[in-house]
Amino acid sequence: MDEQIQAQMQRMQTLDAEERYGELLAYLQELYAATEALPAPARTDYFMTLFQWKMLIEKYPPAAEALARARDEQARRLLAGEYHVGSAPHDPMHFQRADRVALMVEMNRTLGDPGATRAVFLQLEAKDPALARRDAYRMLEAIVEAGDFALGERYRGDPLALLRDVNVNAQSMPLFPPGRQAPRLAAELSNLTKDVRIAIAVLCGLQRETEAHALRRALLDGLANDELRAMAERELDAPGTIYGIHAKRQAALDEASG
């Protein structure tokens, strides 16, 4: 681990253990501001800070107020046309660069405020319809959680669009490959089930339960094997199951190698 990151983690852990929550919040805000000032920060550059911030909110209410202010600034700059974070001009070849949509959605998820994401989307839709349509899928889950099923129906697309790719890749890829190989098939299955779960929520919200049931059945019947069907059913009923299994596998590898 990078020595600077290790030192930052140690300081956060010390402040948290000593219940110096105000100091910890100030330090997190300092790290967040430093990341924002980078030329082209990646999403991973925010991960440690935002994760610790999320943990702090559970113990220290002012942390939620501070995150809401940071969220509001991200939304303001997004609506002002500043799509990407960082001080450097946008480079289309910099694929890992973080963007304000992702940060705003993540912050609202942490704050339990899907309505704020919906509100920004509506403003974006009025200001830049093409951009709103391009990024709708990234805000769709929050829109549906906020109860706007009509808006969700307008933007949800074909929930089974990824089904063919999942079945094709299942012929040559394990769901969870050994070692530290990226679980591509698991990720694709997770995305597919998320699309279906959102569509089911939309249909149920619009009182089209028969269609919702048929969609769930179409997903499970359409998957190529029993392993995929069982995992998809678990993911539909408990979102995050696939990620949780992968995280536990990675933790076990870390423990075995450490």
Side-chain angles (χ1 to χ4, degrees):
M1 182 185 297
D2 180 272
E3 290 185 7
Q4 182 181 13
I5 294 176
Q6 192 169 13
Q8 291 170 349
M9 290 182 62
Q10 182 59 54
R11 183 174 178 186
M12 287 188 286
Q13 290 169 1
T14 298
L15 291 172
D16 184 54
E18 296 176 359
E19 299 185 2
R20 295 156 60 188
Y21 297 141
E23 293 178 61
L24 177 54
L25 175 58
Y27 185 53
L28 292 173
Q29 290 174 301
E30 177 186 323
L31 293 176
Y32 173 79
T35 302
E36 287 273 288
L38 292 173
R43 287 192 66 182
T44 52
D45 293 322
Y46 288 91
F47 175 78
M48 180 178 66
T49 301
L50 292 180
F51 177 77
Q52 186 64 50
W53 208 326
K54 179 179 180 179
M55 297 299 102
L56 182 59
I57 285 173
E58 299 175 3
K59 309 171 188 176
Y60 188 61
E65 298 167 9
L67 186 62
R69 289 193 295 272
R71 180 272 319 275
D72 290 344
E73 178 62 11
Q74 292 292 348
R76 184 193 70 78
R77 295 179 73 172
L78 171 66
L79 293 170
E82 298 180 38
Y83 187 82
H84 290 89
V85 298
S87 58
H90 174 53
D91 179 357
M93 297 305 293
H94 197 289
F95 301 111
Q96 298 301 317
R97 187 169 182 173
D99 62 76
R100 299 194 192 283
V101 170
L103 283 175
M104 181 199 66
V105 170
E106 182 176 352
M107 288 173 171
N108 282 329
R109 187 178 297 118
T110 296
L111 292 166
D113 190 4
T117 296
R118 173 186 174 273
V120 170
F121 180 80
L122 289 173
Q123 294 177 70
L124 190 63
E125 184 184 40
K127 185 180 182 67
D128 191 339
L131 181 59
R133 181 161 294 280
R134 189 192 76 178
D135 280 344
Y137 76 98
R138 306 170 73 190
M139 294 183 260
L140 191 58
E141 186 171 26
I143 288 168
V144 174
E145 287 177 0
D148 195 337
F149 304 114
L151 186 62
E153 174 69 4
R154 196 154 78 235
Y155 284 98
R156 68 181 175 87
D158 177 9
L160 296 174
L162 297 175
L163 179 60
R164 181 182 179 280
D165 288 345
V166 168
N167 283 336
V168 168
N169 288 330
Q171 298 175 18
S172 58
M173 297 179 186
L175 194 55
F176 295 103
R180 297 189 181 279
Q181 297 179 58
R184 177 179 166 184
L185 179 58
E188 290 180 348
L189 182 63
S190 178
N191 289 334
L192 171 61
T193 53
K194 178 181 177 180
D195 290 346
V196 170
R197 177 169 48 80
I198 290 172
I200 287 173
V202 167
L203 292 169
C204 289
L206 296 174
Q207 300 183 337
R208 292 157 58 184
E209 287 83 0
T210 300
E211 292 175 65
H213 178 76
L215 176 58
R216 180 185 176 102
R217 193 72 263 154
L219 169 66
L220 297 178
D221 289 347
L223 288 167
N225 59 56
D226 290 342
E227 182 185 27
L228 291 177
R229 279 189 286 274
M231 189 58 64
E233 193 159 28
R234 291 176 63 187
E235 183 70 20
L236 284 173
D237 295 336
T241 294
I242 291 175
Y243 173 79
I245 292 173
H246 174 62
K248 286 181 180 179
R249 289 168 61 89
Q250 293 301 110
L253 286 172
D254 292 341
E255 185 176 348
S257 62

